[in-house]
Amino acid sequence: MKNLLLFLPLMAIGLAVNGQTKPAATPQAVISVIEGITAKQFQPDTAFAALTEEDETLLTKEPIANWGLAQESGNMVYYNLIIGTRSYQLLIVRLPKASLPTATLLRFTNPKSKPEPIARGTLKPKEEKPKQEPKS
């Protein structure tokens, strides 16, 4: 009986840890925007609850050409998009020991607000599909 009482809390902790490590679903609209801007494959590892339906609609309707040009600052590159009073920023950071850069999409609801993260993940080079030779 004592063993069972010791085992149950350990099992509960294990289930809680497992639940926290599952990646949250990132909407395809966000993935498409990030891949369109960076021309790399975006592999999300974290999705945040800050994304609203309005954000998703705005991001899908705005063409990639409306995003600002890449601006560099140290080991960081960022892009900006402003729609009315709402703005978005895509931050790409390459840490010295990391093999792949990390991308984070942020939202500012008004010019004085703090940034709210929408999604985060790694950027991988896009895999090129092998060309098929025509059959004779």
Side-chain angles (χ1 to χ4, degrees):
M1 187 70 177
K2 276 187 175 181
N3 289 341
L4 183 62
L5 291 175
L6 291 173
F7 180 70
L8 287 175
L10 291 174
M11 191 169 147
I13 291 170
L15 290 174
V17 169
N18 187 28
Q20 292 175 357
T21 59
K22 292 181 182 176
T26 301
Q28 187 58 41
V30 172
I31 293 171
S32 297
V33 166
I34 294 171
E35 288 181 349
I37 295 168
T38 63
K40 295 187 184 225
Q41 183 181 1
F42 179 67
Q43 298 257 294
D45 60 23
T46 308
F48 298 91
L51 184 70
T52 63
E53 284 185 33
E54 182 183 6
D55 291 321
E56 212 169 325
T57 304
L58 288 171
L59 290 171
T60 53
K61 286 185 179 180
E62 286 297 316
I64 300 302
N66 287 354
W67 283 79
L69 297 174
Q71 299 180 31
E72 291 189 44
S73 176
N75 64 344
M76 177 179 66
V77 175
Y78 61 94
Y79 300 83
N80 294 317
L81 172 67
I82 299 172
I83 306 168
T85 60
R86 184 170 289 211
S87 65
Y88 299 91
Q89 188 171 61
L90 178 62
L91 297 174
I92 301 170
V93 178
R94 180 180 285 279
L95 299 174
K97 294 184 179 182
S99 61
L100 297 170
T102 301
T104 306
L105 183 62
L106 302 169
R107 174 188 67 205
F108 298 83
T109 52
N110 63 53
K112 294 183 180 183
S113 67
K114 291 183 179 181
E116 298 173 86
I118 292 176
R120 189 188 79 196
T122 56
L123 293 173
K124 295 182 177 183
K126 284 198 174 183
E127 297 175 7
E128 292 185 26
K129 296 178 183 176
K131 294 181 181 178
Q132 294 180 355
E133 294 183 19
K135 294 182 181 179
S136 305

